[in-house]
Amino acid sequence: MVCCSLFLLTAPTVVLYFQGYRVDLNKRRLTQTGGLFIKAIPKQVEVYLDGKLIKKTDFLFGSALIENLLPRKYEILLQKRGYFPWKKNLEIKEKEVTEARNVVLFPENLSFEHLTKEVEDFWFSPDGKKIILKEKSEEGWLLKLYEIDKRLKIHLIKEKDITKKGANLIKLEFEENNKEIVLQIGVGEEIKYFSLSLVKSPSSLVEIEKLNTLPENVLISKKIGDDLYHLDRSGYLYKNEERINDQSFPLQNEEKYSLEIFPNHIFLKEGNTFYLLNRETKSFEKFFKNEKGIKLSPDGKKLAFFSNFEIWVLFLEERLSQPRKKVGEKNLIGRLSQELGDVFWLNSDYLIFNTDNIFRVAEIDDRDQIYILELPLKKILADNLVELKNPKIFWNFFDKKLYVLSEGNVYTIVGILP
């Protein structure tokens, strides 16, 4: 009889416990619990809640699930020896699992290498496997091809191969096949175009007709896949033969225009101002002024756009995972006191950027404070007696290295992504 009574008294408590109910002493009530899911690189990082070590992420997937947490805000700390810690305050809700599944812990130590010297500028192929180096010599500039996987530098052409009178390299672009480049060259008051093969030895330089010859009524055009977009001189944008905007865009005679086409978003750039096509009103609306650059994320779902002192992220698709985002939602990543150099996507959840010789990484998760970390390069540069001035940077997805051009020298910084 006693056993039966104990069973009847304890059974409801046991059932409620296994259904996720706990007593919240602070609120003095019975409440259902929530959970926390962590996925981070590197693997096996320590997970702390409010200063208490709970567990490590697993060896196989770098993830950890912590269950039966009372609903409230927790200070979450991830750390591992040799890496900078990550910390964020996240809210746990009843019957929900809060996620932080794209966390990166960055190494405390990085590798530094001097790649080459006497370089005036560089251009990377779209696949990240080739670099065109513009070097300087006593006889003028010359172009060399650097093949990253082979660590091999090959001479392409010198300035005097175009004309002995001297030539000005205005623009260099890779063709889609990564096997040739197109050069826009100024010779005196004349502009000429050349195609240069990267696979033939010796390199084959061929003069070609003026690029992108447009009909008289077309101001600019851009081809995306099988679709051709063009803006006519009346301010109307067309996709193939279909007119996209109902309201004419007021064009200015002295301004330069370009098109940026992304999934669900079309931008018209006038000088340094971007205008976004409103698909409901079918008209262009001012999006961002004094724009310095715009970059598409590797997953194609986000845009980073930045001015001299601000970095923003625009979501091109709805994001269902946490933090959830709607199409067209914008996040301010940072407002800086020093002028930005350039911004690149480190991966689809982190950005890398520089302000002069200071390099930082920033996550795009705007819950709590956005995590921004200054990379530890000062000691490396000091040890190598290197001082960076007005550096040009490029983050290369192919070999996961940061390339830096400063005062004629090209350096690589390795180990940023663990």
Side-chain angles (χ1 to χ4, degrees):
M1 188 66 179
V2 174
C3 292
C4 183
S5 299
L6 288 173
F7 174 78
L8 292 174
L9 288 172
T10 58
T13 304
V14 172
V15 171
L16 289 172
Y17 182 88
F18 282 104
Q19 287 181 345
Y21 284 90
R22 296 292 185 274
V23 177
D24 189 336
L25 296 177
N26 291 329
K27 296 181 179 180
R28 297 180 180 180
R29 67 183 180 90
L30 191 66
T31 183
Q32 280 194 281
T33 58
L36 173 67
F37 178 79
I38 299 288
K39 186 173 176 62
I41 55 174
K43 300 170 183 177
Q44 292 196 300
V45 304
E46 296 174 340
V47 182
Y48 291 81
L49 295 187
D50 293 340
K52 181 180 179 181
L53 176 62
I54 303 300
K55 61 165 60 176
K56 286 186 178 182
T57 59
D58 64 49
F59 178 77
L60 292 176
F61 304 105
S63 61
L65 176 63
I66 303 170
E67 299 178 289
N68 299 319
L69 296 175
L70 290 173
R72 62 178 176 84
K73 275 196 173 182
Y74 291 83
E75 182 191 79
I76 300 162
L77 172 67
L78 306 182
Q79 65 179 29
K80 184 173 183 174
R81 180 173 294 181
Y83 296 85
F84 289 101
W86 177 94
K87 185 166 66 174
K88 193 178 283 286
N89 293 304
L90 295 179
E91 186 174 359
I92 304 299
K93 297 181 179 180
E94 291 186 56
K95 299 184 291 185
E96 289 187 18
V97 176
T98 298
E99 298 176 350
R101 58 169 59 246
N102 300 302
V103 179
V104 176
L105 270 60
F106 294 94
E108 294 177 348
N109 298 306
L110 301 174
S111 300
F112 177 88
E113 179 183 355
H114 181 257
L115 188 66
T116 187
K117 59 183 180 179
E118 304 297 331
V119 176
E120 292 183 338
D121 207 347
F122 59 34
W123 299 264
F124 283 74
S125 61
D127 62 5
K129 297 181 179 180
K130 300 180 177 70
I131 313 174
I132 302 298
L133 302 171
K134 181 187 177 187
E135 297 185 355
K136 53 187 175 182
S137 68
E138 294 180 355
E139 297 182 352
W141 56 266
L142 48 89
L143 294 182
K144 291 184 179 180
L145 168 67
Y146 185 82
E147 298 193 38
I148 291 176
D149 52 351
K150 299 178 182 177
R151 298 178 67 85
L152 179 66
K153 187 160 67 171
I154 304 168
H155 174 79
L156 294 175
I157 60 166
K158 59 181 182 292
E159 183 178 344
K160 296 293 178 69
D161 292 335
I162 298 172
T163 172
K164 294 182 179 179
K165 298 179 181 179
N168 179 29
L169 176 58
I170 300 172
K171 192 175 183 180
L172 184 152
E173 291 182 330
F174 277 85
E175 291 290 276
E176 291 182 1
N177 59 13
N178 299 302
K179 294 181 179 179
E180 59 183 312
I181 54 176
V182 174
L183 309 176
Q184 182 181 356
I185 303 290
V187 181
E189 297 182 356
E190 189 178 1
I191 302 296
K192 294 186 177 183
Y193 295 86
F194 296 88
S195 173
L196 180 63
S197 172
L198 302 180
V199 294
K200 294 181 181 179
S201 185
S203 301
S204 174
L205 182 68
V206 179
E207 186 171 357
I208 57 179
E209 294 183 3
K210 184 178 179 180
L211 299 179
N212 300 325
T213 302
L214 301 174
E216 188 175 346
N217 68 320
V218 175
L219 181 63
I220 51 174
S221 70
K222 188 162 190 172
K223 189 170 185 183
I224 305 293
D226 296 328
D227 296 319
L228 180 64
Y229 295 81
H230 73 268
L231 180 73
D232 70 15
R233 295 185 182 274
S234 299
Y236 288 106
L237 179 66
Y238 291 82
K239 178 182 178 182
N240 301 322
E241 301 300 323
E242 178 187 0
R243 194 172 78 182
I244 296 177
N245 56 326
D246 288 342
Q247 184 178 341
S248 170
F249 184 86
L251 299 172
Q252 306 297 320
N253 291 332
E254 301 300 322
E255 292 286 1
K256 291 184 178 181
Y257 291 89
S258 61
L259 288 169
E260 297 288 349
I261 314 293
F262 301 103
N264 303 315
H265 289 74
I266 297 176
F267 292 91
L268 175 62
K269 186 179 182 184
E270 180 187 70
N272 290 324
T273 302
F274 275 80
Y275 293 83
L276 175 63
L277 179 67
N278 185 320
R279 293 186 176 273
E280 294 182 0
T281 63
K282 294 187 177 180
S283 62
F284 282 98
E285 300 174 353
K286 185 177 286 188
F287 177 75
F288 201 69
K289 193 175 181 180
N290 298 323
E291 185 77 25
K292 190 170 184 178
I294 187 166
K295 305 284 179 69
L296 182 66
S297 63
D299 62 9
K301 298 179 179 180
K302 299 171 282 288
L303 282 178
F305 55 98
F306 55 101
S307 62
N308 286 331
F309 299 98
E310 292 182 352
I311 306 173
W312 292 77
V313 167
L314 170 71
F315 290 84
L316 303 178
E317 296 183 14
E318 185 174 4
R319 178 170 175 156
L320 299 177
S321 60
Q322 297 176 5
R324 296 179 178 88
K325 298 293 177 182
K326 297 178 180 179
V327 175
E329 190 169 343
K330 293 185 288 186
N331 282 1
L332 174 64
I333 302 302
R335 195 171 272 126
L336 307 166
S337 58
Q338 292 179 295
E339 185 173 345
L340 274 163
D342 208 342
V343 177
F344 290 88
W345 286 96
L346 195 62
N347 57 26
S348 291
D349 295 283
Y350 282 82
L351 298 166
I352 184 169
F353 60 94
N354 75 300
T355 52
D356 196 20
N357 62 349
I358 297 175
F359 301 83
R360 296 181 176 93
V361 290
E363 66 178 0
I364 65 168
D365 184 349
D366 64 342
R367 294 175 294 178
D368 193 26
Q369 295 184 359
I370 288 181
Y371 176 81
I372 298 179
L373 172 71
E374 181 180 332
L375 294 176
L377 294 177
K378 291 181 180 178
K379 186 177 186 306
I380 298 175
L381 296 174
D383 290 345
N384 288 273
L385 303 178
V386 171
E387 183 179 357
L388 300 179
K389 295 182 179 179
N390 301 316
K392 176 182 178 179
I393 71 169
F394 184 88
W395 170 255
N396 192 4
F397 285 103
F398 171 66
D399 58 359
K400 300 295 186 292
K401 293 180 182 179
L402 181 68
Y403 288 77
V404 182
L405 169 61
S406 176
E407 297 189 304
N409 295 287
V410 178
Y411 307 96
T412 59
I413 298 168
V414 186
I416 295 174
L417 277 182

